[in-house]
Amino acid sequence: MKLTRRMTLAAFAGMLALGTAAPAYAADLIAIITPSHDNPFFKAEAVGAEAKAKELGYEALVLVHDDDANKQSELIDTAIGRGAKAIILDNAGADATVAAVQKAKDAGVPSFLIDREINATGVAVAQIVSNNYQGAQLGAQEFVKLMGEKGNFVELVGKESDTNAGIRSKGYHDVIDDYPDLKMVAQQSANWSQTEAYSKMESILQANPDIKGVISGNDTMAMGAYAALAAANRKDVIVVGFDGSNDVRDSISSGGIKATVLQPAFAQAQMAVEQANDYIKNKKSPAKEKQLMDCVLVNGDNAAKLETFALTN
């Protein structure tokens, strides 16, 4: 009898212990979905969002869609199925993403977009993006100065389905095209890829050995282009990127790539999580769905202050 009673008491105590521990496993979930972390920009987004989510008491589900809209749709299904309270999303296409975000909304899961817009309003709660046009103009102005306002140049463009690729290219040309002695001899998409940029740059250089500069839609392509130029012993060619990665910071500091444009990936992702938290807890939407964050030029003057897509004091 005593043994039975002791076992009953022990079982009851165990149930109490489990009951006390249960809240530690019942934290609300925020899903964070980005392109591949092979690109340090997207990795910084995921790291920033995850850190802020955990700081605010959420569990974080970090997923990668690899710029595949079908995979993105499946991952959003996963987030819905896991009971996510919100989705932080750097999307896989301005048009292709609309239905997936609408699906999440219909399931009661709000989406907070970062970095890339979609071609619809009222579907996501927020679209927090860098002011890509403003940033591209900063980069183009620096490029024009470095080029001495003349010479043949090449433009490497990002993924054609990505709205940012077109916006940055337009920002570049709205500045550069005002200088008639600057002549674009090649314009090719390298799909944000370092490997592809290397290959494209090799071919472009063979066809246009007299180029003086390369302006790139992102830092990853800029790194690929610079590597191809260096392999051809053409370190004299001016290269300007866009993103503000640590890799390009180091290249600038060592006299390689000349400049980049910092877009605040880490801060952007954290802002999205903060707005998601406010929406989850207070049902409060941001004042504006579309929110622009200005970019900053990074060159030899301030590259040493750059760390993980943010300038330190």
Side-chain angles (χ1 to χ4, degrees):
M1 187 69 164
K2 288 182 179 178
L3 179 61
T4 304
R5 185 181 177 196
R6 281 199 301 269
M7 290 176 67
T8 303
L9 287 171
F12 182 65
M15 289 173 67
L16 284 176
L18 286 172
T20 303
Y25 298 94
D28 290 334
L29 181 72
I30 289 181
I32 300 158
I33 308 174
T34 71
S36 172
H37 295 180
D38 289 346
N39 184 320
F41 181 85
F42 302 130
K43 183 176 181 180
E45 288 181 330
V47 170
E50 182 178 16
K52 181 56 69 173
K54 288 181 177 179
E55 177 188 322
L56 294 172
Y58 295 91
E59 289 182 9
L61 176 64
V62 180
L63 303 168
V64 171
H65 59 56
D66 292 319
D67 278 315
D68 180 332
N70 291 326
K71 184 176 180 181
Q72 175 181 257
S73 183
E74 292 170 1
L75 295 179
I76 286 176
D77 285 338
T78 298
I80 294 168
R82 289 280 300 272
K85 298 297 183 181
I87 296 170
I88 310 299
L89 175 66
D90 190 338
N91 73 77
D95 291 316
T97 300
V98 174
V101 175
Q102 181 67 56
K103 173 173 59 177
K105 181 181 179 181
D106 293 343
V109 183
S111 296
F112 296 77
L113 274 54
I114 54 176
D115 180 40
R116 301 168 176 175
E117 299 176 61
I118 57 173
N119 292 332
T121 57
V123 183
V125 175
Q127 299 193 54
I128 307 169
V129 299
S130 299
N131 192 337
N132 284 278
Y133 184 79
Q134 171 260 349
Q137 290 199 307
L138 285 178
Q141 289 160 4
E142 183 74 357
F143 185 70
V144 167
K145 185 173 76 172
L146 291 164
M147 292 282 288
E149 301 183 6
K150 61 183 179 181
N152 292 345
F153 74 95
V154 171
E155 181 188 6
L156 291 178
V157 184
K159 197 175 184 71
E160 292 179 2
S161 64
D162 187 337
T163 304
N164 289 346
I167 293 173
R168 290 176 196 173
S169 184
K170 184 178 189 319
Y172 287 157
H173 284 279
D174 282 353
V175 172
I176 295 170
D177 292 354
D178 286 341
Y179 296 85
D181 292 331
L182 281 168
K183 297 179 181 178
M184 184 173 69
V185 296
Q187 181 189 50
Q188 292 193 30
S189 169
N191 293 303
W192 305 129
S193 164
Q194 184 166 334
T195 304
E196 195 169 336
Y198 185 98
S199 175
K200 293 283 177 73
M201 195 69 244
E202 279 187 317
S203 300
I204 291 169
L205 190 57
Q206 287 173 2
N208 303 277
D210 60 344
I211 62 168
K212 186 179 173 183
V214 177
I215 191 161
S216 173
N218 79 343
D219 279 353
T220 308
M221 296 188 299
M223 289 292 291
Y226 185 76
L229 290 163
N233 199 29
R234 287 299 309 277
K235 292 185 179 181
D236 59 302
V237 177
I238 292 158
V239 179
V240 170
F242 195 115
D243 274 345
S245 70
N246 284 2
D247 287 340
V248 166
R249 172 203 65 192
D250 295 343
S251 183
I252 292 171
S253 298
S254 64
I257 292 173
K258 299 304 179 188
T260 184
V261 176
L262 168 65
Q263 52 170 340
F266 195 87
Q268 208 172 85
Q270 294 212 318
M271 182 185 295
V273 174
E274 288 168 350
Q275 292 186 9
N277 178 58
D278 208 14
Y279 187 87
I280 292 164
K281 292 181 177 175
N282 305 314
K283 294 301 177 188
K284 182 180 178 183
S285 299
K288 293 182 179 179
E289 177 184 331
K290 291 196 174 183
Q291 304 161 58
L292 291 178
M293 297 180 72
D294 279 349
C295 301
V296 179
L297 179 71
V298 175
N299 55 22
D301 294 337
N302 61 352
K305 296 180 179 180
L306 180 61
E307 178 57 49
T308 317
F309 301 95
L311 286 173
T312 59
N313 294 324

PDB file of all heavy atoms in Angstrom, residues 234-267:
ATOM      1  N   ARG A 234      43.709  42.057 -64.932  1.00  0.00           N
ATOM      2  CA  ARG A 234      43.075  43.336 -65.253  1.00  0.00           C
ATOM      3  C   ARG A 234      42.513  43.987 -63.984  1.00  0.00           C
ATOM      4  O   ARG A 234      41.365  44.390 -63.917  1.00  0.00           O
ATOM      5  CB  ARG A 234      41.959  43.126 -66.285  1.00  0.00           C
ATOM      6  CG  ARG A 234      42.458  42.821 -67.690  1.00  0.00           C
ATOM      7  CD  ARG A 234      43.317  43.951 -68.282  1.00  0.00           C
ATOM      8  NE  ARG A 234      42.659  45.237 -68.184  1.00  0.00           N
ATOM      9  CZ  ARG A 234      41.744  45.675 -69.075  1.00  0.00           C
ATOM     10  NH1 ARG A 234      41.436  44.918 -70.127  1.00  0.00           N
ATOM     11  NH2 ARG A 234      41.191  46.860 -68.932  1.00  0.00           N
ATOM     12  N   LYS A 235      43.356  44.102 -62.991  1.00  0.00           N
ATOM     13  CA  LYS A 235      42.948  44.754 -61.750  1.00  0.00           C
ATOM     14  C   LYS A 235      42.780  46.257 -61.904  1.00  0.00           C
ATOM     15  O   LYS A 235      42.353  46.938 -60.978  1.00  0.00           O
ATOM     16  CB  LYS A 235      43.956  44.439 -60.640  1.00  0.00           C
ATOM     17  CG  LYS A 235      43.967  42.977 -60.208  1.00  0.00           C
ATOM     18  CD  LYS A 235      44.890  42.752 -59.028  1.00  0.00           C
ATOM     19  CE  LYS A 235      44.871  41.303 -58.580  1.00  0.00           C
ATOM     20  NZ  LYS A 235      45.755  41.060 -57.413  1.00  0.00           N
ATOM     21  N   ASP A 236      43.113  46.770 -63.080  1.00  0.00           N
ATOM     22  CA  ASP A 236      42.930  48.199 -63.354  1.00  0.00           C
ATOM     23  C   ASP A 236      41.474  48.554 -63.611  1.00  0.00           C
ATOM     24  O   ASP A 236      41.098  49.733 -63.569  1.00  0.00           O
ATOM     25  CB  ASP A 236      43.758  48.605 -64.584  1.00  0.00           C
ATOM     26  CG  ASP A 236      43.368  47.800 -65.825  1.00  0.00           C
ATOM     27  OD1 ASP A 236      43.459  46.553 -65.771  1.00  0.00           O
ATOM     28  OD2 ASP A 236      42.962  48.410 -66.833  1.00  0.00           O
ATOM     29  N   VAL A 237      40.628  47.545 -63.879  1.00  0.00           N
ATOM     30  CA  VAL A 237      39.218  47.801 -64.192  1.00  0.00           C
ATOM     31  C   VAL A 237      38.465  48.153 -62.907  1.00  0.00           C
ATOM     32  O   VAL A 237      38.557  47.441 -61.900  1.00  0.00           O
ATOM     33  CB  VAL A 237      38.575  46.585 -64.879  1.00  0.00           C
ATOM     34  CG1 VAL A 237      37.087  46.830 -65.133  1.00  0.00           C
ATOM     35  CG2 VAL A 237      39.293  46.275 -66.191  1.00  0.00           C
ATOM     36  N   ILE A 238      37.725  49.236 -62.939  1.00  0.00           N
ATOM     37  CA  ILE A 238      36.964  49.714 -61.772  1.00  0.00           C
ATOM     38  C   ILE A 238      35.695  48.870 -61.604  1.00  0.00           C
ATOM     39  O   ILE A 238      34.927  48.699 -62.558  1.00  0.00           O
ATOM     40  CB  ILE A 238      36.601  51.202 -61.961  1.00  0.00           C
ATOM     41  CG1 ILE A 238      37.872  52.054 -61.892  1.00  0.00           C
ATOM     42  CG2 ILE A 238      35.572  51.663 -60.937  1.00  0.00           C
ATOM     43  CD1 ILE A 238      37.733  53.407 -62.558  1.00  0.00           C
ATOM     44  N   VAL A 239      35.492  48.355 -60.399  1.00  0.00           N
ATOM     45  CA  VAL A 239      34.293  47.550 -60.115  1.00  0.00           C
ATOM     46  C   VAL A 239      33.538  48.180 -58.948  1.00  0.00           C
ATOM     47  O   VAL A 239      34.130  48.497 -57.915  1.00  0.00           O
ATOM     48  CB  VAL A 239      34.659  46.088 -59.773  1.00  0.00           C
ATOM     49  CG1 VAL A 239      33.390  45.285 -59.458  1.00  0.00           C
ATOM     50  CG2 VAL A 239      35.434  45.433 -60.911  1.00  0.00           C
ATOM     51  N   VAL A 240      32.228  48.348 -59.130  1.00  0.00           N
ATOM     52  CA  VAL A 240      31.348  48.879 -58.082  1.00  0.00           C
ATOM     53  C   VAL A 240      30.191  47.902 -57.889  1.00  0.00           C
ATOM     54  O   VAL A 240      29.603  47.427 -58.871  1.00  0.00           O
ATOM     55  CB  VAL A 240      30.814  50.282 -58.454  1.00  0.00           C
ATOM     56  CG1 VAL A 240      29.721  50.733 -57.484  1.00  0.00           C
ATOM     57  CG2 VAL A 240      31.951  51.298 -58.465  1.00  0.00           C
ATOM     58  N   GLY A 241      29.876  47.594 -56.651  1.00  0.00           N
ATOM     59  CA  GLY A 241      28.813  46.641 -56.343  1.00  0.00           C
ATOM     60  C   GLY A 241      27.627  47.286 -55.646  1.00  0.00           C
ATOM     61  O   GLY A 241      27.464  48.511 -55.633  1.00  0.00           O
ATOM     62  N   PHE A 242      26.806  46.419 -55.045  1.00  0.00           N
ATOM     63  CA  PHE A 242      25.595  46.882 -54.347  1.00  0.00           C
ATOM     64  C   PHE A 242      25.212  45.812 -53.325  1.00  0.00           C
ATOM     65  O   PHE A 242      25.043  44.662 -53.683  1.00  0.00           O
ATOM     66  CB  PHE A 242      24.448  47.069 -55.343  1.00  0.00           C
ATOM     67  CG  PHE A 242      23.274  47.861 -54.826  1.00  0.00           C
ATOM     68  CD1 PHE A 242      22.943  49.084 -55.373  1.00  0.00           C
ATOM     69  CD2 PHE A 242      22.477  47.379 -53.794  1.00  0.00           C
ATOM     70  CE1 PHE A 242      21.843  49.808 -54.921  1.00  0.00           C
ATOM     71  CE2 PHE A 242      21.385  48.088 -53.324  1.00  0.00           C
ATOM     72  CZ  PHE A 242      21.075  49.310 -53.883  1.00  0.00           C
ATOM     73  N   ASP A 243      25.141  46.175 -52.084  1.00  0.00           N
ATOM     74  CA  ASP A 243      24.673  45.351 -50.955  1.00  0.00           C
ATOM     75  C   ASP A 243      25.359  45.763 -49.662  1.00  0.00           C
ATOM     76  O   ASP A 243      24.719  45.925 -48.647  1.00  0.00           O
ATOM     77  CB  ASP A 243      24.891  43.843 -51.142  1.00  0.00           C
ATOM     78  CG  ASP A 243      23.764  43.167 -51.898  1.00  0.00           C
ATOM     79  OD1 ASP A 243      22.691  43.783 -52.035  1.00  0.00           O
ATOM     80  OD2 ASP A 243      23.963  42.029 -52.374  1.00  0.00           O
ATOM     81  N   GLY A 244      26.700  45.873 -49.700  1.00  0.00           N
ATOM     82  CA  GLY A 244      27.447  46.196 -48.484  1.00  0.00           C
ATOM     83  C   GLY A 244      27.898  44.969 -47.732  1.00  0.00           C
ATOM     84  O   GLY A 244      27.830  44.924 -46.503  1.00  0.00           O
ATOM     85  N   SER A 245      28.386  43.962 -48.459  1.00  0.00           N
ATOM     86  CA  SER A 245      28.814  42.720 -47.815  1.00  0.00           C
ATOM     87  C   SER A 245      30.206  42.852 -47.204  1.00  0.00           C
ATOM     88  O   SER A 245      31.005  43.696 -47.616  1.00  0.00           O
ATOM     89  CB  SER A 245      28.824  41.573 -48.830  1.00  0.00           C
ATOM     90  OG  SER A 245      29.877  41.744 -49.763  1.00  0.00           O
ATOM     91  N   ASN A 246      30.495  42.003 -46.242  1.00  0.00           N
ATOM     92  CA  ASN A 246      31.826  41.986 -45.639  1.00  0.00           C
ATOM     93  C   ASN A 246      32.895  41.599 -46.658  1.00  0.00           C
ATOM     94  O   ASN A 246      34.036  42.070 -46.584  1.00  0.00           O
ATOM     95  CB  ASN A 246      31.864  41.008 -44.464  1.00  0.00           C
ATOM     96  CG  ASN A 246      31.173  41.558 -43.227  1.00  0.00           C
ATOM     97  OD1 ASN A 246      30.629  42.656 -43.235  1.00  0.00           O
ATOM     98  ND2 ASN A 246      31.184  40.793 -42.154  1.00  0.00           N
ATOM     99  N   ASP A 247      32.548  40.717 -47.607  1.00  0.00           N
ATOM    100  CA  ASP A 247      33.509  40.310 -48.632  1.00  0.00           C
ATOM    101  C   ASP A 247      33.954  41.513 -49.465  1.00  0.00           C
ATOM    102  O   ASP A 247      35.145  41.685 -49.744  1.00  0.00           O
ATOM    103  CB  ASP A 247      32.908  39.249 -49.550  1.00  0.00           C
ATOM    104  CG  ASP A 247      32.776  37.894 -48.873  1.00  0.00           C
ATOM    105  OD1 ASP A 247      33.476  37.662 -47.862  1.00  0.00           O
ATOM    106  OD2 ASP A 247      31.970  37.073 -49.339  1.00  0.00           O
ATOM    107  N   VAL A 248      33.003  42.328 -49.866  1.00  0.00           N
ATOM    108  CA  VAL A 248      33.352  43.509 -50.657  1.00  0.00           C
ATOM    109  C   VAL A 248      34.043  44.555 -49.783  1.00  0.00           C
ATOM    110  O   VAL A 248      34.960  45.246 -50.230  1.00  0.00           O
ATOM    111  CB  VAL A 248      32.112  44.079 -51.380  1.00  0.00           C
ATOM    112  CG1 VAL A 248      32.378  45.468 -51.926  1.00  0.00           C
ATOM    113  CG2 VAL A 248      31.719  43.147 -52.518  1.00  0.00           C
ATOM    114  N   ARG A 249      33.633  44.670 -48.530  1.00  0.00           N
ATOM    115  CA  ARG A 249      34.356  45.546 -47.593  1.00  0.00           C
ATOM    116  C   ARG A 249      35.838  45.202 -47.574  1.00  0.00           C
ATOM    117  O   ARG A 249      36.694  46.093 -47.675  1.00  0.00           O
ATOM    118  CB  ARG A 249      33.777  45.385 -46.191  1.00  0.00           C
ATOM    119  CG  ARG A 249      34.567  46.101 -45.094  1.00  0.00           C
ATOM    120  CD  ARG A 249      34.305  45.484 -43.740  1.00  0.00           C
ATOM    121  NE  ARG A 249      34.791  44.112 -43.657  1.00  0.00           N
ATOM    122  CZ  ARG A 249      34.486  43.273 -42.676  1.00  0.00           C
ATOM    123  NH1 ARG A 249      33.688  43.648 -41.703  1.00  0.00           N
ATOM    124  NH2 ARG A 249      34.979  42.035 -42.688  1.00  0.00           N
ATOM    125  N   ASP A 250      36.129  43.915 -47.453  1.00  0.00           N
ATOM    126  CA  ASP A 250      37.529  43.484 -47.399  1.00  0.00           C
ATOM    127  C   ASP A 250      38.242  43.759 -48.713  1.00  0.00           C
ATOM    128  O   ASP A 250      39.427  44.127 -48.725  1.00  0.00           O
ATOM    129  CB  ASP A 250      37.609  41.998 -47.060  1.00  0.00           C
ATOM    130  CG  ASP A 250      37.094  41.692 -45.653  1.00  0.00           C
ATOM    131  OD1 ASP A 250      36.977  42.642 -44.844  1.00  0.00           O
ATOM    132  OD2 ASP A 250      36.803  40.510 -45.371  1.00  0.00           O
ATOM    133  N   SER A 251      37.532  43.589 -49.827  1.00  0.00           N
ATOM    134  CA  SER A 251      38.124  43.867 -51.135  1.00  0.00           C
ATOM    135  C   SER A 251      38.424  45.360 -51.286  1.00  0.00           C
ATOM    136  O   SER A 251      39.488  45.741 -51.786  1.00  0.00           O
ATOM    137  CB  SER A 251      37.182  43.405 -52.249  1.00  0.00           C
ATOM    138  OG  SER A 251      37.763  43.605 -53.520  1.00  0.00           O
ATOM    139  N   ILE A 252      37.502  46.196 -50.836  1.00  0.00           N
ATOM    140  CA  ILE A 252      37.729  47.650 -50.883  1.00  0.00           C
ATOM    141  C   ILE A 252      38.956  48.012 -50.048  1.00  0.00           C
ATOM    142  O   ILE A 252      39.825  48.779 -50.478  1.00  0.00           O
ATOM    143  CB  ILE A 252      36.484  48.418 -50.381  1.00  0.00           C
ATOM    144  CG1 ILE A 252      35.320  48.259 -51.358  1.00  0.00           C
ATOM    145  CG2 ILE A 252      36.801  49.902 -50.177  1.00  0.00           C
ATOM    146  CD1 ILE A 252      33.994  48.788 -50.836  1.00  0.00           C
ATOM    147  N   SER A 253      39.034  47.447 -48.857  1.00  0.00           N
ATOM    148  CA  SER A 253      40.138  47.761 -47.946  1.00  0.00           C
ATOM    149  C   SER A 253      41.491  47.339 -48.502  1.00  0.00           C
ATOM    150  O   SER A 253      42.518  47.943 -48.179  1.00  0.00           O
ATOM    151  CB  SER A 253      39.902  47.092 -46.582  1.00  0.00           C
ATOM    152  OG  SER A 253      38.721  47.589 -45.980  1.00  0.00           O
ATOM    153  N   SER A 254      41.494  46.291 -49.356  1.00  0.00           N
ATOM    154  CA  SER A 254      42.752  45.820 -49.927  1.00  0.00           C
ATOM    155  C   SER A 254      43.022  46.385 -51.317  1.00  0.00           C
ATOM    156  O   SER A 254      43.947  45.945 -52.008  1.00  0.00           O
ATOM    157  CB  SER A 254      42.757  44.291 -49.983  1.00  0.00           C
ATOM    158  OG  SER A 254      41.742  43.818 -50.854  1.00  0.00           O
ATOM    159  N   GLY A 255      42.191  47.358 -51.739  1.00  0.00           N
ATOM    160  CA  GLY A 255      42.428  48.021 -53.017  1.00  0.00           C
ATOM    161  C   GLY A 255      41.840  47.312 -54.221  1.00  0.00           C
ATOM    162  O   GLY A 255      42.243  47.584 -55.360  1.00  0.00           O
ATOM    163  N   GLY A 256      40.875  46.412 -54.010  1.00  0.00           N
ATOM    164  CA  GLY A 256      40.268  45.673 -55.112  1.00  0.00           C
ATOM    165  C   GLY A 256      39.043  46.389 -55.653  1.00  0.00           C
ATOM    166  O   GLY A 256      39.150  47.370 -56.394  1.00  0.00           O
ATOM    167  N   ILE A 257      37.861  45.893 -55.303  1.00  0.00           N
ATOM    168  CA  ILE A 257      36.609  46.573 -55.663  1.00  0.00           C
ATOM    169  C   ILE A 257      36.641  47.979 -55.052  1.00  0.00           C
ATOM    170  O   ILE A 257      37.150  48.177 -53.952  1.00  0.00           O
ATOM    171  CB  ILE A 257      35.410  45.750 -55.168  1.00  0.00           C
ATOM    172  CG1 ILE A 257      35.338  44.431 -55.974  1.00  0.00           C
ATOM    173  CG2 ILE A 257      34.102  46.525 -55.309  1.00  0.00           C
ATOM    174  CD1 ILE A 257      34.299  43.441 -55.463  1.00  0.00           C
ATOM    175  N   LYS A 258      36.094  48.936 -55.779  1.00  0.00           N
ATOM    176  CA  LYS A 258      36.249  50.340 -55.354  1.00  0.00           C
ATOM    177  C   LYS A 258      35.134  50.845 -54.444  1.00  0.00           C
ATOM    178  O   LYS A 258      35.364  51.722 -53.611  1.00  0.00           O
ATOM    179  CB  LYS A 258      36.345  51.249 -56.589  1.00  0.00           C
ATOM    180  CG  LYS A 258      37.532  50.944 -57.482  1.00  0.00           C
ATOM    181  CD  LYS A 258      38.844  51.003 -56.714  1.00  0.00           C
ATOM    182  CE  LYS A 258      40.024  50.671 -57.606  1.00  0.00           C
ATOM    183  NZ  LYS A 258      41.277  50.534 -56.831  1.00  0.00           N
ATOM    184  N   ALA A 259      33.920  50.326 -54.617  1.00  0.00           N
ATOM    185  CA  ALA A 259      32.802  50.856 -53.821  1.00  0.00           C
ATOM    186  C   ALA A 259      31.624  49.895 -53.872  1.00  0.00           C
ATOM    187  O   ALA A 259      31.529  49.032 -54.756  1.00  0.00           O
ATOM    188  CB  ALA A 259      32.380  52.233 -54.334  1.00  0.00           C
ATOM    189  N   THR A 260      30.718  50.055 -52.916  1.00  0.00           N
ATOM    190  CA  THR A 260      29.453  49.334 -52.910  1.00  0.00           C
ATOM    191  C   THR A 260      28.395  50.237 -52.289  1.00  0.00           C
ATOM    192  O   THR A 260      28.703  51.338 -51.816  1.00  0.00           O
ATOM    193  CB  THR A 260      29.561  47.997 -52.139  1.00  0.00           C
ATOM    194  OG1 THR A 260      28.323  47.279 -52.248  1.00  0.00           O
ATOM    195  CG2 THR A 260      29.874  48.220 -50.670  1.00  0.00           C
ATOM    196  N   VAL A 261      27.176  49.787 -52.306  1.00  0.00           N
ATOM    197  CA  VAL A 261      26.068  50.527 -51.703  1.00  0.00           C
ATOM    198  C   VAL A 261      25.474  49.650 -50.608  1.00  0.00           C
ATOM    199  O   VAL A 261      25.041  48.526 -50.870  1.00  0.00           O
ATOM    200  CB  VAL A 261      24.996  50.892 -52.749  1.00  0.00           C
ATOM    201  CG1 VAL A 261      23.803  51.565 -52.082  1.00  0.00           C
ATOM    202  CG2 VAL A 261      25.584  51.789 -53.823  1.00  0.00           C
ATOM    203  N   LEU A 262      25.485  50.151 -49.397  1.00  0.00           N
ATOM    204  CA  LEU A 262      24.989  49.388 -48.247  1.00  0.00           C
ATOM    205  C   LEU A 262      23.476  49.468 -48.157  1.00  0.00           C
ATOM    206  O   LEU A 262      22.906  50.552 -48.052  1.00  0.00           O
ATOM    207  CB  LEU A 262      25.616  49.921 -46.961  1.00  0.00           C
ATOM    208  CG  LEU A 262      24.999  49.431 -45.645  1.00  0.00           C
ATOM    209  CD1 LEU A 262      25.202  47.934 -45.475  1.00  0.00           C
ATOM    210  CD2 LEU A 262      25.583  50.187 -44.462  1.00  0.00           C
ATOM    211  N   GLN A 263      22.832  48.309 -48.196  1.00  0.00           N
ATOM    212  CA  GLN A 263      21.416  48.254 -47.846  1.00  0.00           C
ATOM    213  C   GLN A 263      21.318  47.476 -46.538  1.00  0.00           C
ATOM    214  O   GLN A 263      21.946  46.432 -46.383  1.00  0.00           O
ATOM    215  CB  GLN A 263      20.576  47.640 -48.955  1.00  0.00           C
ATOM    216  CG  GLN A 263      21.020  46.315 -49.491  1.00  0.00           C
ATOM    217  CD  GLN A 263      19.973  45.716 -50.407  1.00  0.00           C
ATOM    218  OE1 GLN A 263      18.793  46.088 -50.377  1.00  0.00           O
ATOM    219  NE2 GLN A 263      20.369  44.783 -51.230  1.00  0.00           N
ATOM    220  N   PRO A 264      20.565  48.000 -45.586  1.00  0.00           N
ATOM    221  CA  PRO A 264      20.611  47.484 -44.206  1.00  0.00           C
ATOM    222  C   PRO A 264      19.832  46.186 -44.008  1.00  0.00           C
ATOM    223  O   PRO A 264      18.751  46.166 -43.410  1.00  0.00           O
ATOM    224  CB  PRO A 264      20.002  48.632 -43.405  1.00  0.00           C
ATOM    225  CG  PRO A 264      19.050  49.295 -44.361  1.00  0.00           C
ATOM    226  CD  PRO A 264      19.678  49.167 -45.712  1.00  0.00           C
ATOM    227  N   ALA A 265      20.389  45.084 -44.481  1.00  0.00           N
ATOM    228  CA  ALA A 265      19.689  43.793 -44.431  1.00  0.00           C
ATOM    229  C   ALA A 265      19.346  43.374 -43.011  1.00  0.00           C
ATOM    230  O   ALA A 265      18.219  42.950 -42.732  1.00  0.00           O
ATOM    231  CB  ALA A 265      20.553  42.720 -45.093  1.00  0.00           C
ATOM    232  N   PHE A 266      20.311  43.472 -42.122  1.00  0.00           N
ATOM    233  CA  PHE A 266      20.135  43.021 -40.747  1.00  0.00           C
ATOM    234  C   PHE A 266      19.043  43.850 -40.051  1.00  0.00           C
ATOM    235  O   PHE A 266      18.109  43.307 -39.458  1.00  0.00           O
ATOM    236  CB  PHE A 266      21.465  43.154 -40.003  1.00  0.00           C
ATOM    237  CG  PHE A 266      21.544  42.401 -38.703  1.00  0.00           C
ATOM    238  CD1 PHE A 266      21.942  41.071 -38.673  1.00  0.00           C
ATOM    239  CD2 PHE A 266      21.239  43.017 -37.499  1.00  0.00           C
ATOM    240  CE1 PHE A 266      22.033  40.372 -37.468  1.00  0.00           C
ATOM    241  CE2 PHE A 266      21.318  42.340 -36.302  1.00  0.00           C
ATOM    242  CZ  PHE A 266      21.716  41.010 -36.285  1.00  0.00           C
ATOM    243  N   ALA A 267      19.150  45.172 -40.163  1.00  0.00           N
ATOM    244  CA  ALA A 267      18.183  46.069 -39.521  1.00  0.00           C
ATOM    245  C   ALA A 267      16.790  45.906 -40.120  1.00  0.00           C
ATOM    246  O   ALA A 267      15.777  45.959 -39.416  1.00  0.00           O
ATOM    247  CB  ALA A 267      18.650  47.520 -39.650  1.00  0.00           C
TER     248      ALA A 267
END
